[in-house]
Every structure is written in C-alpha cells, then in structure tokens.
Amino acid sequence: MTDFILDNRLADSSASVMICEAFDVRLVDDRRYFWALLIPQIPHITELSDLSDQARLTLLSLTSHLSAGLKDSCKADKMNIAMIGNVVSQFHLHIVARHHTDESWPDPIWGKGTPLRLTDEERQHRSHIIETLCASWLANR
Amino acid sequence: MTDFILDNRLADSSASVMICEAFDVRLVDDRRYFWALLIPQIPHITELSDLSDQARLTLLSLTSHLSAGLKDSCKADKMNIAMIGNVVSQFHLHIVARHHTDESWPDPIWGKGTPLRLTDEERQHRSHIIETLCASWLANR
C-alpha cells in the first residue's frame, strides 16, 4: 500500500498517459511545447536524492529513452530536462521538446506566458507517441 | 586522446574544482546562488541520450550525491537540477541550491538578472565544499 497522492496542480495541468514501473508518465496540457512529466508514485519525494538507488536508475533510463524518442518524433532542436519543484515540491521531472521557433526560445519555459490547451486531436496524437515510447522502453526492461 | 574542448562561455562563467571520472565539476562564478556544473569531458555531447550508458550512470550518481550534499551544506530549501543547453549546446548539467530568500525564488534562475562575482573567500569556501563532496563520492566508487 502507498499513500501517494498526486499534487492537485500537477493533476490539473497534465494527464496520465501510462504507468511505467513506479513512474506516472504524463502529458502537460500545453500545445506550445511537447512536454512530458515523470512522477514517481512514491510518497514524500521532493529531491532526486530522496529516491532509492533503484528508482533513480529507472528514472534515468526512462528519461533518456523518452527524451531521445521525443527528440526524433518532434524533430526538436533541443531537449530540456529538469527537476525544479520550487512551486510544487512533489517530485516531478520535466522533459520538454524545444524548437528554435517556439515562443520562449532560447529561454527556459517555466513560468513564461500562458498555457494553450491541447485540442483533442493533439492530445491523442501526443499521447500515442508517448505510449509507443513507453512500450518500447518496457519491452527492453 | 580526446578532442574535447570546453565551450568558451562555460569556461568564462565557471571554474573547474575537480575532475571526477570523466566529469569536470565546476563552480559558477555567481554569489547569488551556490551553483555547480557537471560537464562530461567527452566531445560532441549535447543531449543526455548522447552519453554512453556508463557515463549516464556516473552522471546520475555524482549528481545525486552532490545535490544531497549541497542541500545540507547550504541549508537549501530546494535543489534545482537541469539539462537545458538552449544557448550553449555543449552538454552541461546544472545543480543549483535554492532558497526562499534568493532573488529569483520561486522562478528558475536561468537568464534572470546579472551574475554577481564571487569574492576570493566565497570561491575558496564553495570550492572546498565541492571538493569534499567529490572526495566522498570518489571514496565510495
């Protein structure tokens, strides 16, 4: 049993696409960027160093796989990966595909501008890409 | 032999404190935040997924150890860890100790305000903390 409860602000701004081992892989509802979150479904984690060695290794492997896959799928110019958590301290890792043409380039995206909601079609398309990448990651575990 | 050459902008804004396996552990010259960089001395790396599995594991272990150690040493409220690279694409990982009282809190620090140079005393003090943490990491390898 776990008493993990997802922070409301993370729950409201993103949707779960797939659970990969202990990690909830979520799509952020913002069409400006292809933006995924990885959240360990483990209570009381705020820092990378709070995770067990095993969970950290899983996070690293999944992050690297998703980041490389999203870079290809989105033809991204750069991937941004970050663990910040100054506003929402519950541990979450951001993976964001960046393009020279996006509205914040070259600045980081956090706290900039206003999210633009995904259309149903965009949500479906992006979720499918994430699902496919998670499936190929799981197949090699 | 390697043809790794450190990007000038990283070289100018930070100083090497210690080499830990393939990683240059550097102190950013900015007294506003205790801010370290980890840079693999490996040519042509821009993304986390460009690193070998072994180098990624080393990076993860060193990042987690330094982040936990700096959090303690600085009595930080939150650690920020990021791989961005939109301006300088040569791979570098940021580890930044954040405080509720720092000038950018709760925003991310990148691209905000103007760096304030460290005094010699501050540089020596921070370098000593990083050296001690690197030494304890190396002792457990």
Side-chain angles (χ1 to χ4, degrees):
Chain A
M1 282 296 285
T2 166
D3 60 346
F4 174 79
I5 298 169
L6 183 63
D7 184 281
N8 280 338
R9 292 160 291 185
L10 297 175
D12 290 347
S13 60
S14 64
S16 182
V17 176
M18 201 152 168
I19 307 295
C20 286
E21 299 187 7
F23 290 87
D24 186 10
V25 184
R26 302 179 67 86
L27 174 64
V28 175
D29 192 10
D30 192 341
R31 64 198 307 245
R32 298 175 302 163
Y33 318 100
F34 197 133
W35 180 354
L37 295 179
L38 303 190
I39 303 178
Q41 295 188 303
I42 303 168
H44 317 308
I45 305 284
T46 61
E47 302 283 359
L48 177 68
S49 53
D50 294 336
L51 290 167
S52 68
D53 289 349
Q54 186 53 53
R56 254 199 307 276
L57 290 176
T58 302
L59 177 70
L60 177 71
S61 170
L62 186 54
T63 299
S64 181
H65 184 80
L66 286 176
S67 174
L70 290 181
K71 188 171 187 183
D72 277 354
S73 304
C74 305
K75 301 190 192 327
D77 294 308
K78 188 71 189 68
M79 298 305 297
N80 291 174
I81 298 171
M83 294 154 270
I84 301 175
N86 301 341
V87 176
V88 177
S89 65
Q90 183 174 70
F91 185 90
H92 55 289
L93 180 145
H94 302 268
I95 304 178
V96 192
R98 302 298 307 274
H99 293 89
H100 295 156
T101 53
D102 72 40
E103 74 168 44
S104 302
W105 184 269
D107 292 333
I109 63 166
W110 298 279
K112 289 274 174 64
T114 306
L116 299 175
R117 307 287 301 261
L118 292 162
T119 64
D120 288 346
E121 192 178 358
E122 285 166 338
R123 182 177 296 104
Q124 208 164 20
H125 176 66
R126 292 187 183 188
S127 296
H128 178 69
I129 290 171
I130 291 176
E131 279 165 8
T132 305
L133 291 170
C134 287
S136 61
W137 180 77
L138 284 166
N140 284 299
R141 294 292 284 171
Chain B
M1 282 296 287
T2 168
D3 58 349
F4 174 80
I5 298 169
L6 182 63
D7 184 281
N8 280 336
R9 290 160 293 185
L10 297 174
D12 289 347
S13 59
S14 64
S16 182
V17 176
M18 201 152 168
I19 307 295
C20 286
E21 299 189 4
F23 291 88
D24 186 9
V25 183
R26 302 179 68 87
L27 174 66
V28 175
D29 191 10
D30 190 342
R31 64 197 305 243
R32 297 174 302 163
Y33 319 101
F34 197 133
W35 181 354
L37 295 179
L38 303 190
I39 303 177
Q41 296 188 303
I42 303 169
H44 316 308
I45 306 285
T46 61
E47 303 283 0
L48 177 66
S49 54
D50 294 337
L51 289 167
S52 68
D53 289 349
Q54 187 52 55
R56 257 200 305 277
L57 291 175
T58 303
L59 177 69
L60 177 71
S61 170
L62 186 54
T63 299
S64 181
H65 183 81
L66 286 176
S67 174
L70 290 181
K71 188 171 187 183
D72 279 352
S73 304
C74 304
K75 303 191 193 320
D77 294 305
K78 186 72 188 68
M79 298 304 298
N80 291 174
I81 298 172
M83 294 155 270
I84 301 175
N86 301 340
V87 175
V88 176
S89 65
Q90 184 172 72
F91 184 90
H92 54 290
L93 180 144
H94 302 266
I95 303 178
V96 192
R98 301 298 307 276
H99 294 88
H100 296 155
T101 53
D102 71 41
E103 73 166 44
S104 301
W105 183 269
D107 292 333
I109 62 165
W110 300 281
K112 291 270 173 64
T114 305
L116 298 176
R117 306 288 302 263
L118 293 162
T119 64
D120 287 345
E121 193 179 356
E122 286 166 337
R123 182 176 295 105
Q124 207 164 21
H125 177 66
R126 294 187 182 188
S127 296
H128 178 69
I129 290 172
I130 291 176
E131 279 165 7
T132 304
L133 291 169
C134 287
S136 60
W137 180 77
L138 283 166
N140 284 299
R141 294 291 283 171

